[in-house]
Amino acid sequence: MSSPDVGDLEEQYLLAALRSGWVAPVGPDVEAFERELATRVGVEHGVALSSGTAALHLALLTLGVGRGDVVVTSTMTFAATANAIVYTGAEPYFIDADPETGNMCPELLERALRRLADAGERVAALVPVDLLGKAVDYTALEAIAERYDVPVVADAAESLGATHRGRAAGSFGRVSIVSFNGNKVMTTSGGGMLLTDDAEVAKHVRYLATQARQPVVHYEHTDIGYNYRLSNLLAALGRAQLARLDEMIARRRALRDRYKELFSGVAGVSVFGAEGDEHDNVWLTSILVDSEVTGWEPAELSAALTADNIESRPLWKPMHLQPVFEGPRGEINGAAEGLFRTGLTLPSGSALSVEQIDRVGAAIKTFLNEQ
Ligand SMILES: *Cc1c(COP(=O)(O)O)cnc(C)c1O
């Protein structure tokens, strides 16, 4: 669906790092990668980490989130967002989605913050998520967060390369995080980065990620630390991927345009979030199927594709419907659940060859003709 897209440039960067002898989680490629990505999104500091989840965890800890706190987040997300909140001992509080974008609904957020403030509960952070590569309406969300004096940790794991009103995803909130997991727009096989303008936050995150070692030779510790750094080899891979980011996004966009064309005459099917997607990174392309109109369910198309050895998947199952998060509260109106029931994500990766894309297109056409 979204496999890694690597070639000669990645090989060249990775080999150069290996031959340089910098095989440790420190080295010139880590520093260069942090600088290059921070510059690309327009913030002062980047801290390269072992995953996007690690970046979320340390961002929350550094903002003082802990036991007894409430952290407000999107229900329409990958589990890593909610897991990182639980790691700190805080309780996730889920907000439902805008049905057009799947991103956190500002009205429901406002209602939740008012309700929590009235109840005298401390909301330690707000974690909005840029779903499938579309930046959240940060203009609306940041204004609300400011009114309630809640710091924002932007989960931009899926949206590197996207913008909101000309500003890059990864530059919003007190802190943003991005992911370089193997299925994201660019990858280090596994990795992430914390991005911020706040020098103190960046310094503290770096300290926690390095086992919270005090700057003395005898390993002195006054805090619980983590081993969350990114290796220099993987940072080198990340630099090559970053150099190719725009080219890879352009390939994903061409693929989405094909799906738009393919489904343009099919009543009851729309490409999810396609309205105004020119500022997205189009990480994954999903369709929404109104089965009352089509007469078929998304699961039937998915089964036909699976029979042809083509991967597809429902949209994220919302967090409030996950057995592990049963109990946590939220502001839920059914929009995310509707997207989960009607959505299907199609092969979207930039590594797909022309032949593979043609094969997917032909399989979809065959399915539609048989209906
Ligand atoms: C991928 C992802 C993460 C986690 O990133 P990892 O690098 O895989 O730990 C967090 N949040 C969202 C929304 C994601 O899609």
Side-chain angles (χ1 to χ4, degrees), residues 68-74 85 90-96 104 107-127 144-145 147-150 327-332:
D69 289 332
V70 173
V71 173
V72 173
T73 191
S74 306
I85 294 167
E91 175 199 348
Y93 191 102
F94 297 117
I95 308 294
D96 220 313
M104 183 182 285
E107 288 76 35
L108 294 179
L109 169 65
E110 174 111 51
R111 199 185 299 168
L113 292 180
R114 198 176 326 117
R115 196 192 296 269
L116 289 161
D118 288 348
E121 295 194 62
R122 173 177 137 86
V123 177
L126 168 66
V127 186
I144 296 168
R147 263 203 303 289
Y148 289 86
D149 198 22
V150 176
R329 299 167 294 162
E331 205 63 61
I332 300 299

mmCIF file of all heavy atoms in Angstrom, residues 68-74 85 90-96 104 107-127 144-145 147-150 327-332:
data_model
loop_
_atom_site.group_PDB
_atom_site.id
_atom_site.type_symbol
_atom_site.label_atom_id
_atom_site.label_comp_id
_atom_site.label_asym_id
_atom_site.label_seq_id
_atom_site.Cartn_x
_atom_site.Cartn_y
_atom_site.Cartn_z
ATOM 1 N N GLY A 68 -2.667 11.599 36.066
ATOM 2 C CA GLY A 68 -3.752 12.467 36.525
ATOM 3 C C GLY A 68 -4.143 13.537 35.513
ATOM 4 O O GLY A 68 -5.158 14.198 35.668
ATOM 5 N N ASP A 69 -3.326 13.699 34.479
ATOM 6 C CA ASP A 69 -3.637 14.710 33.450
ATOM 7 C C ASP A 69 -4.564 14.129 32.389
ATOM 8 O O ASP A 69 -4.619 12.910 32.195
ATOM 9 C CB ASP A 69 -2.363 15.168 32.746
ATOM 10 C CG ASP A 69 -1.487 16.031 33.641
ATOM 11 O OD1 ASP A 69 -2.041 16.705 34.535
ATOM 12 O OD2 ASP A 69 -0.262 16.024 33.444
ATOM 13 N N VAL A 70 -5.221 15.042 31.692
ATOM 14 C CA VAL A 70 -6.005 14.676 30.514
ATOM 15 C C VAL A 70 -5.281 15.238 29.299
ATOM 16 O O VAL A 70 -4.810 16.380 29.320
ATOM 17 C CB VAL A 70 -7.430 15.280 30.605
ATOM 18 C CG1 VAL A 70 -8.197 15.061 29.303
ATOM 19 C CG2 VAL A 70 -8.184 14.673 31.780
ATOM 20 N N VAL A 71 -5.141 14.435 28.242
ATOM 21 C CA VAL A 71 -4.590 14.918 26.975
ATOM 22 C C VAL A 71 -5.651 14.701 25.899
ATOM 23 O O VAL A 71 -6.121 13.576 25.691
ATOM 24 C CB VAL A 71 -3.275 14.200 26.606
ATOM 25 C CG1 VAL A 71 -2.813 14.603 25.204
ATOM 26 C CG2 VAL A 71 -2.188 14.520 27.624
ATOM 27 N N VAL A 72 -6.026 15.794 25.248
ATOM 28 C CA VAL A 72 -7.093 15.745 24.251
ATOM 29 C C VAL A 72 -6.481 15.443 22.888
ATOM 30 O O VAL A 72 -5.499 16.080 22.492
ATOM 31 C CB VAL A 72 -7.855 17.089 24.250
ATOM 32 C CG1 VAL A 72 -8.865 17.131 23.116
ATOM 33 C CG2 VAL A 72 -8.548 17.295 25.599
ATOM 34 N N THR A 73 -7.054 14.457 22.188
ATOM 35 C CA THR A 73 -6.506 14.072 20.883
ATOM 36 C C THR A 73 -7.612 13.609 19.940
ATOM 37 O O THR A 73 -8.781 13.562 20.321
ATOM 38 C CB THR A 73 -5.426 12.977 21.066
ATOM 39 O OG1 THR A 73 -4.732 12.796 19.832
ATOM 40 C CG2 THR A 73 -6.030 11.634 21.484
ATOM 41 N N SER A 74 -7.230 13.279 18.700
ATOM 42 C CA SER A 74 -8.192 12.830 17.684
ATOM 43 C C SER A 74 -8.509 11.355 17.893
ATOM 44 O O SER A 74 -7.602 10.560 18.138
ATOM 45 C CB SER A 74 -7.587 12.978 16.286
ATOM 46 O OG SER A 74 -7.126 14.279 16.071
ATOM 47 N N ILE A 85 0.358 8.911 24.801
ATOM 48 C CA ILE A 85 -0.313 9.620 25.904
ATOM 49 C C ILE A 85 -0.384 8.702 27.128
ATOM 50 O O ILE A 85 -0.062 9.108 28.252
ATOM 51 C CB ILE A 85 -1.730 10.082 25.461
ATOM 52 C CG1 ILE A 85 -1.602 11.144 24.363
ATOM 53 C CG2 ILE A 85 -2.535 10.598 26.657
ATOM 54 C CD1 ILE A 85 -2.905 11.452 23.633
ATOM 55 N N ALA A 90 -1.033 9.772 31.573
ATOM 56 C CA ALA A 90 -2.198 10.640 31.355
ATOM 57 C C ALA A 90 -3.322 9.857 30.682
ATOM 58 O O ALA A 90 -3.118 8.741 30.189
ATOM 59 C CB ALA A 90 -1.806 11.837 30.495
ATOM 60 N N GLU A 91 -4.499 10.463 30.675
ATOM 61 C CA GLU A 91 -5.680 9.836 30.077
ATOM 62 C C GLU A 91 -5.992 10.499 28.730
ATOM 63 O O GLU A 91 -6.163 11.707 28.671
ATOM 64 C CB GLU A 91 -6.880 10.032 31.028
ATOM 65 C CG GLU A 91 -8.196 9.530 30.470
ATOM 66 C CD GLU A 91 -9.417 10.122 31.183
ATOM 67 O OE1 GLU A 91 -9.270 10.750 32.245
ATOM 68 O OE2 GLU A 91 -10.525 9.956 30.645
ATOM 69 N N PRO A 92 -6.072 9.711 27.652
ATOM 70 C CA PRO A 92 -6.471 10.314 26.378
ATOM 71 C C PRO A 92 -7.966 10.627 26.375
ATOM 72 O O PRO A 92 -8.763 9.863 26.928
ATOM 73 C CB PRO A 92 -6.131 9.247 25.333
ATOM 74 C CG PRO A 92 -6.008 7.964 26.071
ATOM 75 C CD PRO A 92 -5.792 8.261 27.523
ATOM 76 N N TYR A 93 -8.319 11.752 25.780
ATOM 77 C CA TYR A 93 -9.717 12.187 25.680
ATOM 78 C C TYR A 93 -9.956 12.426 24.189
ATOM 79 O O TYR A 93 -9.322 13.295 23.589
ATOM 80 C CB TYR A 93 -9.884 13.462 26.503
ATOM 81 C CG TYR A 93 -11.307 13.912 26.719
ATOM 82 C CD1 TYR A 93 -11.956 13.691 27.923
ATOM 83 C CD2 TYR A 93 -11.998 14.602 25.714
ATOM 84 C CE1 TYR A 93 -13.263 14.120 28.138
ATOM 85 C CE2 TYR A 93 -13.301 15.034 25.912
ATOM 86 C CZ TYR A 93 -13.923 14.793 27.139
ATOM 87 O OH TYR A 93 -15.208 15.226 27.337
ATOM 88 N N PHE A 94 -10.836 11.624 23.588
ATOM 89 C CA PHE A 94 -10.911 11.560 22.131
ATOM 90 C C PHE A 94 -11.949 12.518 21.535
ATOM 91 O O PHE A 94 -13.081 12.587 22.009
ATOM 92 C CB PHE A 94 -11.221 10.134 21.692
ATOM 93 C CG PHE A 94 -10.148 9.150 22.078
ATOM 94 C CD1 PHE A 94 -10.411 8.111 22.962
ATOM 95 C CD2 PHE A 94 -8.859 9.285 21.566
ATOM 96 C CE1 PHE A 94 -9.412 7.209 23.311
ATOM 97 C CE2 PHE A 94 -7.850 8.386 21.918
ATOM 98 C CZ PHE A 94 -8.135 7.346 22.794
ATOM 99 N N ILE A 95 -11.537 13.197 20.462
ATOM 100 C CA ILE A 95 -12.436 14.124 19.768
ATOM 101 C C ILE A 95 -12.733 13.567 18.387
ATOM 102 O O ILE A 95 -11.837 13.106 17.682
ATOM 103 C CB ILE A 95 -11.773 15.518 19.600
ATOM 104 C CG1 ILE A 95 -11.248 16.036 20.941
ATOM 105 C CG2 ILE A 95 -12.739 16.510 18.956
ATOM 106 C CD1 ILE A 95 -12.311 16.348 21.962
ATOM 107 N N ASP A 96 -13.985 13.653 18.001
ATOM 108 C CA ASP A 96 -14.403 13.105 16.711
ATOM 109 C C ASP A 96 -13.967 14.004 15.552
ATOM 110 O O ASP A 96 -13.402 15.078 15.754
ATOM 111 C CB ASP A 96 -15.919 12.859 16.692
ATOM 112 C CG ASP A 96 -16.266 11.560 15.978
ATOM 113 O OD1 ASP A 96 -15.719 11.338 14.869
ATOM 114 O OD2 ASP A 96 -17.062 10.766 16.511
ATOM 115 N N MET A 104 -9.515 16.490 13.355
ATOM 116 C CA MET A 104 -10.261 16.877 14.553
ATOM 117 C C MET A 104 -11.248 18.009 14.271
ATOM 118 O O MET A 104 -10.888 19.023 13.667
ATOM 119 C CB MET A 104 -9.272 17.326 15.635
ATOM 120 C CG MET A 104 -9.920 17.675 16.943
ATOM 121 S SD MET A 104 -8.700 18.264 18.151
ATOM 122 C CE MET A 104 -7.905 16.741 18.614
ATOM 123 N N GLU A 107 -15.332 22.412 16.500
ATOM 124 C CA GLU A 107 -16.496 22.651 17.380
ATOM 125 C C GLU A 107 -16.510 21.645 18.533
ATOM 126 O O GLU A 107 -16.789 22.010 19.675
ATOM 127 C CB GLU A 107 -17.819 22.547 16.604
ATOM 128 C CG GLU A 107 -18.104 23.707 15.657
ATOM 129 C CD GLU A 107 -17.285 23.643 14.377
ATOM 130 O OE1 GLU A 107 -17.029 22.515 13.880
ATOM 131 O OE2 GLU A 107 -16.865 24.709 13.878
ATOM 132 N N LEU A 108 -16.252 20.384 18.190
ATOM 133 C CA LEU A 108 -16.247 19.362 19.240
ATOM 134 C C LEU A 108 -15.086 19.577 20.208
ATOM 135 O O LEU A 108 -15.220 19.343 21.413
ATOM 136 C CB LEU A 108 -16.166 17.954 18.627
ATOM 137 C CG LEU A 108 -17.382 17.509 17.808
ATOM 138 C CD1 LEU A 108 -17.156 16.116 17.237
ATOM 139 C CD2 LEU A 108 -18.666 17.541 18.638
ATOM 140 N N LEU A 109 -13.964 20.052 19.698
ATOM 141 C CA LEU A 109 -12.813 20.344 20.567
ATOM 142 C C LEU A 109 -13.178 21.432 21.570
ATOM 143 O O LEU A 109 -12.936 21.308 22.771
ATOM 144 C CB LEU A 109 -11.607 20.799 19.730
ATOM 145 C CG LEU A 109 -10.457 21.370 20.554
ATOM 146 C CD1 LEU A 109 -9.842 20.307 21.458
ATOM 147 C CD2 LEU A 109 -9.388 21.987 19.650
ATOM 148 N N GLU A 110 -13.795 22.493 21.057
ATOM 149 C CA GLU A 110 -14.175 23.611 21.924
ATOM 150 C C GLU A 110 -15.131 23.135 23.017
ATOM 151 O O GLU A 110 -14.986 23.481 24.192
ATOM 152 C CB GLU A 110 -14.827 24.709 21.069
ATOM 153 C CG GLU A 110 -15.397 25.854 21.871
ATOM 154 C CD GLU A 110 -14.599 27.134 21.675
ATOM 155 O OE1 GLU A 110 -14.373 27.511 20.515
ATOM 156 O OE2 GLU A 110 -14.230 27.748 22.684
ATOM 157 N N ARG A 111 -16.091 22.301 22.609
ATOM 158 C CA ARG A 111 -17.068 21.781 23.573
ATOM 159 C C ARG A 111 -16.357 20.941 24.653
ATOM 160 O O ARG A 111 -16.653 21.056 25.834
ATOM 161 C CB ARG A 111 -18.098 20.916 22.837
ATOM 162 C CG ARG A 111 -19.369 20.716 23.643
ATOM 163 C CD ARG A 111 -20.338 19.763 22.962
ATOM 164 N NE ARG A 111 -20.778 20.219 21.654
ATOM 165 C CZ ARG A 111 -21.443 19.444 20.784
ATOM 166 N NH1 ARG A 111 -21.720 18.186 21.070
ATOM 167 N NH2 ARG A 111 -21.825 19.925 19.629
ATOM 168 N N ALA A 112 -15.401 20.128 24.228
ATOM 169 C CA ALA A 112 -14.677 19.269 25.172
ATOM 170 C C ALA A 112 -13.860 20.111 26.153
ATOM 171 O O ALA A 112 -13.880 19.861 27.365
ATOM 172 C CB ALA A 112 -13.754 18.323 24.417
ATOM 173 N N LEU A 113 -13.156 21.122 25.647
ATOM 174 C CA LEU A 113 -12.310 21.934 26.528
ATOM 175 C C LEU A 113 -13.161 22.718 27.529
ATOM 176 O O LEU A 113 -12.773 22.892 28.692
ATOM 177 C CB LEU A 113 -11.411 22.872 25.707
ATOM 178 C CG LEU A 113 -10.320 22.169 24.878
ATOM 179 C CD1 LEU A 113 -9.481 23.192 24.113
ATOM 180 C CD2 LEU A 113 -9.417 21.303 25.754
ATOM 181 N N ARG A 114 -14.325 23.164 27.079
ATOM 182 C CA ARG A 114 -15.220 23.883 27.987
ATOM 183 C C ARG A 114 -15.721 22.943 29.084
ATOM 184 O O ARG A 114 -15.694 23.261 30.270
ATOM 185 C CB ARG A 114 -16.397 24.499 27.219
ATOM 186 C CG ARG A 114 -17.090 25.606 28.025
ATOM 187 C CD ARG A 114 -18.207 26.331 27.273
ATOM 188 N NE ARG A 114 -17.966 26.463 25.854
ATOM 189 C CZ ARG A 114 -18.738 25.914 24.909
ATOM 190 N NH1 ARG A 114 -19.791 25.185 25.236
ATOM 191 N NH2 ARG A 114 -18.471 26.100 23.626
ATOM 192 N N ARG A 115 -16.141 21.750 28.648
ATOM 193 C CA ARG A 115 -16.650 20.762 29.599
ATOM 194 C C ARG A 115 -15.577 20.402 30.640
ATOM 195 O O ARG A 115 -15.855 20.354 31.842
ATOM 196 C CB ARG A 115 -17.057 19.504 28.824
ATOM 197 C CG ARG A 115 -17.941 18.539 29.593
ATOM 198 C CD ARG A 115 -18.040 17.208 28.862
ATOM 199 N NE ARG A 115 -18.697 17.283 27.556
ATOM 200 C CZ ARG A 115 -20.001 17.109 27.370
ATOM 201 N NH1 ARG A 115 -20.783 16.871 28.390
ATOM 202 N NH2 ARG A 115 -20.527 17.180 26.170
ATOM 203 N N LEU A 116 -14.351 20.172 30.171
ATOM 204 C CA LEU A 116 -13.271 19.773 31.078
ATOM 205 C C LEU A 116 -12.894 20.926 32.018
ATOM 206 O O LEU A 116 -12.633 20.714 33.206
ATOM 207 C CB LEU A 116 -12.056 19.287 30.278
ATOM 208 C CG LEU A 116 -12.265 17.925 29.585
ATOM 209 C CD1 LEU A 116 -11.246 17.708 28.462
ATOM 210 C CD2 LEU A 116 -12.189 16.783 30.601
ATOM 211 N N ALA A 117 -12.887 22.151 31.477
ATOM 212 C CA ALA A 117 -12.563 23.318 32.316
ATOM 213 C C ALA A 117 -13.630 23.501 33.391
ATOM 214 O O ALA A 117 -13.313 23.749 34.564
ATOM 215 C CB ALA A 117 -12.445 24.578 31.451
ATOM 216 N N ASP A 118 -14.903 23.345 33.004
ATOM 217 C CA ASP A 118 -16.005 23.487 33.965
ATOM 218 C C ASP A 118 -15.895 22.459 35.086
ATOM 219 O O ASP A 118 -16.279 22.722 36.230
ATOM 220 C CB ASP A 118 -17.369 23.330 33.261
ATOM 221 C CG ASP A 118 -17.699 24.544 32.396
ATOM 222 O OD1 ASP A 118 -16.983 25.564 32.533
ATOM 223 O OD2 ASP A 118 -18.636 24.463 31.584
ATOM 224 N N ALA A 119 -15.368 21.258 34.724
ATOM 225 C CA ALA A 119 -15.245 20.192 35.716
ATOM 226 C C ALA A 119 -13.954 20.337 36.537
ATOM 227 O O ALA A 119 -13.690 19.508 37.406
ATOM 228 C CB ALA A 119 -15.285 18.831 35.016
ATOM 229 N N GLY A 120 -13.165 21.369 36.219
ATOM 230 C CA GLY A 120 -11.932 21.617 36.977
ATOM 231 C C GLY A 120 -10.817 20.635 36.673
ATOM 232 O O GLY A 120 -9.909 20.441 37.485
ATOM 233 N N GLU A 121 -10.865 20.010 35.480
ATOM 234 C CA GLU A 121 -9.809 19.040 35.129
ATOM 235 C C GLU A 121 -8.693 19.742 34.369
ATOM 236 O O GLU A 121 -8.941 20.606 33.543
ATOM 237 C CB GLU A 121 -10.399 17.919 34.276
ATOM 238 C CG GLU A 121 -11.416 17.091 35.044
ATOM 239 C CD GLU A 121 -11.747 15.796 34.318
ATOM 240 O OE1 GLU A 121 -10.838 14.980 34.140
ATOM 241 O OE2 GLU A 121 -12.919 15.633 33.937
ATOM 242 N N ARG A 122 -7.452 19.308 34.651
ATOM 243 C CA ARG A 122 -6.301 19.901 33.973
ATOM 244 C C ARG A 122 -6.072 19.202 32.641
ATOM 245 O O ARG A 122 -5.848 17.997 32.585
ATOM 246 C CB ARG A 122 -5.051 19.742 34.842
ATOM 247 C CG ARG A 122 -3.758 20.166 34.166
ATOM 248 C CD ARG A 122 -2.582 20.045 35.125
ATOM 249 N NE ARG A 122 -1.392 19.467 34.502
ATOM 250 C CZ ARG A 122 -0.478 20.154 33.836
ATOM 251 N NH1 ARG A 122 -0.588 21.471 33.707
ATOM 252 N NH2 ARG A 122 0.569 19.554 33.302
ATOM 253 N N VAL A 123 -6.162 19.986 31.552
ATOM 254 C CA VAL A 123 -5.829 19.459 30.230
ATOM 255 C C VAL A 123 -4.379 19.843 29.963
ATOM 256 O O VAL A 123 -4.056 21.019 29.810
ATOM 257 C CB VAL A 123 -6.767 20.018 29.141
ATOM 258 C CG1 VAL A 123 -6.347 19.492 27.769
ATOM 259 C CG2 VAL A 123 -8.206 19.622 29.435
ATOM 260 N N ALA A 124 -3.503 18.840 29.949
ATOM 261 C CA ALA A 124 -2.071 19.118 29.907
ATOM 262 C C ALA A 124 -1.564 19.370 28.496
ATOM 263 O O ALA A 124 -0.529 20.000 28.313
ATOM 264 C CB ALA A 124 -1.296 17.967 30.544
ATOM 265 N N ALA A 125 -2.263 18.846 27.497
ATOM 266 C CA ALA A 125 -1.837 19.056 26.106
ATOM 267 C C ALA A 125 -2.965 18.704 25.150
ATOM 268 O O ALA A 125 -3.882 17.958 25.494
ATOM 269 C CB ALA A 125 -0.606 18.198 25.772
ATOM 270 N N LEU A 126 -2.848 19.289 23.952
ATOM 271 C CA LEU A 126 -3.749 18.950 22.844
ATOM 272 C C LEU A 126 -2.885 18.341 21.743
ATOM 273 O O LEU A 126 -1.872 18.924 21.359
ATOM 274 C CB LEU A 126 -4.439 20.225 22.328
ATOM 275 C CG LEU A 126 -5.187 20.098 20.996
ATOM 276 C CD1 LEU A 126 -6.382 19.163 21.120
ATOM 277 C CD2 LEU A 126 -5.642 21.468 20.500
ATOM 278 N N VAL A 127 -3.283 17.159 21.258
ATOM 279 C CA VAL A 127 -2.512 16.487 20.202
ATOM 280 C C VAL A 127 -3.393 16.276 18.970
ATOM 281 O O VAL A 127 -4.031 15.234 18.810
ATOM 282 C CB VAL A 127 -1.947 15.127 20.678
ATOM 283 C CG1 VAL A 127 -1.026 14.526 19.604
ATOM 284 C CG2 VAL A 127 -1.188 15.265 21.994
ATOM 285 N N ILE A 144 -8.311 28.053 19.544
ATOM 286 C CA ILE A 144 -9.076 27.438 20.636
ATOM 287 C C ILE A 144 -8.128 27.029 21.768
ATOM 288 O O ILE A 144 -8.379 27.303 22.946
ATOM 289 C CB ILE A 144 -9.878 26.209 20.125
ATOM 290 C CG1 ILE A 144 -10.934 26.649 19.103
ATOM 291 C CG2 ILE A 144 -10.533 25.467 21.291
ATOM 292 C CD1 ILE A 144 -11.573 25.502 18.333
ATOM 293 N N ALA A 145 -7.009 26.383 21.400
ATOM 294 C CA ALA A 145 -6.042 25.927 22.409
ATOM 295 C C ALA A 145 -5.512 27.110 23.216
ATOM 296 O O ALA A 145 -5.327 27.015 24.431
ATOM 297 C CB ALA A 145 -4.893 25.184 21.740
ATOM 298 N N ARG A 147 -7.091 29.954 23.809
ATOM 299 C CA ARG A 147 -8.144 30.434 24.706
ATOM 300 C C ARG A 147 -8.185 29.626 26.000
ATOM 301 O O ARG A 147 -8.477 30.158 27.062
ATOM 302 C CB ARG A 147 -9.517 30.329 24.024
ATOM 303 C CG ARG A 147 -9.972 31.622 23.408
ATOM 304 C CD ARG A 147 -11.466 31.756 23.221
ATOM 305 N NE ARG A 147 -12.120 30.724 22.436
ATOM 306 C CZ ARG A 147 -12.001 30.572 21.122
ATOM 307 N NH1 ARG A 147 -11.236 31.385 20.425
ATOM 308 N NH2 ARG A 147 -12.652 29.619 20.489
ATOM 309 N N TYR A 148 -7.894 28.334 25.895
ATOM 310 C CA TYR A 148 -7.936 27.475 27.084
ATOM 311 C C TYR A 148 -6.547 27.236 27.669
ATOM 312 O O TYR A 148 -6.383 26.437 28.579
ATOM 313 C CB TYR A 148 -8.631 26.151 26.744
ATOM 314 C CG TYR A 148 -10.114 26.331 26.526
ATOM 315 C CD1 TYR A 148 -10.626 26.690 25.293
ATOM 316 C CD2 TYR A 148 -11.009 26.184 27.593
ATOM 317 C CE1 TYR A 148 -11.981 26.875 25.093
ATOM 318 C CE2 TYR A 148 -12.366 26.356 27.407
ATOM 319 C CZ TYR A 148 -12.855 26.700 26.161
ATOM 320 O OH TYR A 148 -14.206 26.886 25.980
ATOM 321 N N ASP A 149 -5.535 27.921 27.108
ATOM 322 C CA ASP A 149 -4.165 27.849 27.613
ATOM 323 C C ASP A 149 -3.636 26.407 27.645
ATOM 324 O O ASP A 149 -3.077 25.958 28.647
ATOM 325 C CB ASP A 149 -4.124 28.477 29.020
ATOM 326 C CG ASP A 149 -2.693 28.835 29.420
ATOM 327 O OD1 ASP A 149 -1.859 29.001 28.512
ATOM 328 O OD2 ASP A 149 -2.426 28.917 30.632
ATOM 329 N N VAL A 150 -3.852 25.693 26.535
ATOM 330 C CA VAL A 150 -3.395 24.302 26.430
ATOM 331 C C VAL A 150 -2.293 24.232 25.363
ATOM 332 O O VAL A 150 -2.508 24.654 24.232
ATOM 333 C CB VAL A 150 -4.564 23.372 26.017
ATOM 334 C CG1 VAL A 150 -4.074 21.946 25.818
ATOM 335 C CG2 VAL A 150 -5.682 23.416 27.051
ATOM 336 N N GLY A 327 -13.414 2.820 27.698
ATOM 337 C CA GLY A 327 -13.407 3.510 28.972
ATOM 338 C C GLY A 327 -13.059 4.968 28.826
ATOM 339 O O GLY A 327 -13.809 5.808 29.301
ATOM 340 N N PRO A 328 -11.933 5.325 28.142
ATOM 341 C CA PRO A 328 -11.607 6.739 28.008
ATOM 342 C C PRO A 328 -12.767 7.547 27.427
ATOM 343 O O PRO A 328 -13.560 7.053 26.632
ATOM 344 C CB PRO A 328 -10.403 6.747 27.074
ATOM 345 C CG PRO A 328 -9.730 5.465 27.343
ATOM 346 C CD PRO A 328 -10.844 4.496 27.622
ATOM 347 N N ARG A 329 -12.804 8.788 27.865
ATOM 348 C CA ARG A 329 -13.940 9.638 27.494
ATOM 349 C C ARG A 329 -13.661 10.369 26.189
ATOM 350 O O ARG A 329 -12.570 10.319 25.654
ATOM 351 C CB ARG A 329 -14.166 10.643 28.613
ATOM 352 C CG ARG A 329 -14.499 9.968 29.925
ATOM 353 C CD ARG A 329 -14.409 10.940 31.068
ATOM 354 N NE ARG A 329 -13.054 11.403 31.295
ATOM 355 C CZ ARG A 329 -12.762 12.491 31.984
ATOM 356 N NH1 ARG A 329 -13.728 13.230 32.479
ATOM 357 N NH2 ARG A 329 -11.508 12.845 32.164
ATOM 358 N N GLY A 330 -14.656 11.099 25.727
ATOM 359 C CA GLY A 330 -14.452 11.866 24.511
ATOM 360 C C GLY A 330 -15.684 12.629 24.095
ATOM 361 O O GLY A 330 -16.707 12.609 24.780
ATOM 362 N N GLU A 331 -15.535 13.287 22.970
ATOM 363 C CA GLU A 331 -16.619 14.062 22.358
ATOM 364 C C GLU A 331 -16.861 13.389 21.007
ATOM 365 O O GLU A 331 -16.144 13.651 20.045
ATOM 366 C CB GLU A 331 -16.129 15.507 22.207
ATOM 367 C CG GLU A 331 -17.181 16.563 22.171
ATOM 368 C CD GLU A 331 -17.994 16.670 23.460
ATOM 369 O OE1 GLU A 331 -17.418 16.954 24.536
ATOM 370 O OE2 GLU A 331 -19.216 16.483 23.363
ATOM 371 N N ILE A 332 -17.819 12.466 20.978
ATOM 372 C CA ILE A 332 -17.975 11.557 19.838
ATOM 373 C C ILE A 332 -19.339 11.769 19.186
ATOM 374 O O ILE A 332 -20.360 11.783 19.883
ATOM 375 C CB ILE A 332 -17.855 10.084 20.329
ATOM 376 C CG1 ILE A 332 -16.493 9.833 20.989
ATOM 377 C CG2 ILE A 332 -18.111 9.092 19.193
ATOM 378 C CD1 ILE A 332 -15.285 10.042 20.095
#
